[in-house]
Amino acid sequence: MTSKKISSRLQLRKKPQQERSIQRLDAIMEAAVDLIAMHGVADLKMTDIAARAGVPIGSLYQFFPEKAAIIRAFHDRHTAIVQERAELAFPDVKSTDQAIEMLSKLFDEFYQLYRADRTYLPVWMAGMTDRDFQELNLAHLERLTDIIYGALKHLVADNHQSAFRLRVHMVLYLSGALARFAMVRDEVSAQEYLAEWKSMGARTLFEF
């Protein structure tokens, strides 16, 4: 599927410039948050969003061509936060032990962020069967891999660089899967799984 088709289906139709339009878009997004939290993504309807936000349905369509574009907006919020925090997480890493500690802290931060976000899990699950969102998730994973690999590759010998990037890619993917698994469990059980993964996952990056 081409990026043009993805953008035409999922892209915000217009970026608000005036304060009134910004407030209207914020109201739409907040209404969508409430409805997703209550009913999930499958039952989300444009008419319900407009009604809850107190805006005409025509105003909603001025911003979003369809429901999937609203889900994309949440997806972009999530990925932007993750990428920005990852870029700041490794300012001056001098050892593998330090890298492992930083990775563990970053994982904890992301987990708490996701668990507190009422839209993250429903949005991610909705994208699992959507080809456009699959491509967006893969692009996000590649970008996050580049960030982490770029920050830590100096800790690995040149002859292991290719394998190291592959490991970063796999650990990030598995970390996301485990975080989502933990989110549907009680917090005590979740922390047991997370602790085991942190002691196991990060260390495998540097064991050559």
Side-chain angles (χ1 to χ4, degrees):
M1 186 170 293
T2 66
S3 59
K4 183 177 181 180
K5 287 183 180 178
I6 292 176
S7 63
S8 65
R9 177 178 173 238
L10 302 183
Q11 193 171 25
L12 187 70
R13 274 182 166 161
K14 71 172 185 178
K15 187 174 182 179
Q17 303 294 331
Q18 298 180 346
E19 183 62 28
R20 182 180 178 183
S21 294
I22 293 173
Q23 291 176 354
R24 180 165 288 181
L25 180 58
D26 287 343
I28 290 169
M29 296 301 290
E30 285 302 313
V33 168
D34 292 338
L35 291 170
I36 289 172
M38 288 188 292
H39 307 298
V41 172
D43 293 329
L44 188 66
K45 295 180 176 61
M46 298 289 271
T47 51
D48 292 341
I49 296 171
R52 191 172 185 87
V55 302
I57 188 66
S59 296
L60 180 58
Y61 280 109
Q62 285 180 352
F63 291 111
F64 302 102
E66 61 176 273
K67 180 176 76 172
I70 298 177
I71 305 308
R72 164 74 186 274
F74 286 116
H75 174 277
D76 286 353
R77 284 185 180 183
H78 299 153
T79 57
I81 291 171
V82 169
Q83 291 175 17
E84 288 169 6
R85 296 194 180 188
E87 287 173 341
L88 299 173
F90 307 94
D92 187 20
V93 184
K94 295 186 175 10
S95 69
T96 57
D97 285 343
Q98 186 183 13
I100 290 168
E101 181 181 359
M102 289 181 173
L103 284 167
S104 294
K105 288 181 179 179
L106 190 64
F107 180 67
D108 282 337
E109 183 180 355
F110 288 161
Y111 171 72
Q112 294 300 334
L113 178 72
Y114 288 152
R115 193 169 184 112
D117 190 321
R118 294 184 294 163
T119 64
Y120 172 73
L121 197 56
V123 165
W124 185 88
M125 293 177 66
M128 283 292 292
T129 57
D130 187 299
R131 180 66 180 273
D132 287 346
F133 281 101
Q134 289 171 5
E135 293 190 12
L136 288 172
N137 284 328
L138 287 174
H140 167 59
L141 182 60
E142 287 295 332
R143 175 58 186 147
L144 194 57
T145 299
D146 287 341
I147 293 171
I148 304 298
Y149 170 71
L152 303 180
K153 64 181 181 180
H154 65 282
L155 300 173
V156 177
D158 290 344
N159 61 317
H160 293 312
Q161 290 295 321
S162 179
F164 179 61
R165 190 189 186 283
L166 187 63
R167 289 184 183 188
V168 171
H169 193 270
M170 290 190 296
V171 165
L172 289 173
Y173 176 82
L174 293 171
S175 293
L178 185 66
R180 289 184 287 272
F181 171 76
M183 285 172 63
V184 299
R185 304 185 67 87
D186 64 88
E187 188 62 13
V188 173
S189 175
Q191 289 301 325
E192 291 176 349
Y193 280 98
L194 297 179
E196 189 63 26
W197 174 244
K198 284 186 294 182
S199 68
M200 178 181 67
R203 293 192 180 280
T204 62
L205 287 173
F206 302 102
E207 292 178 352
F208 291 100

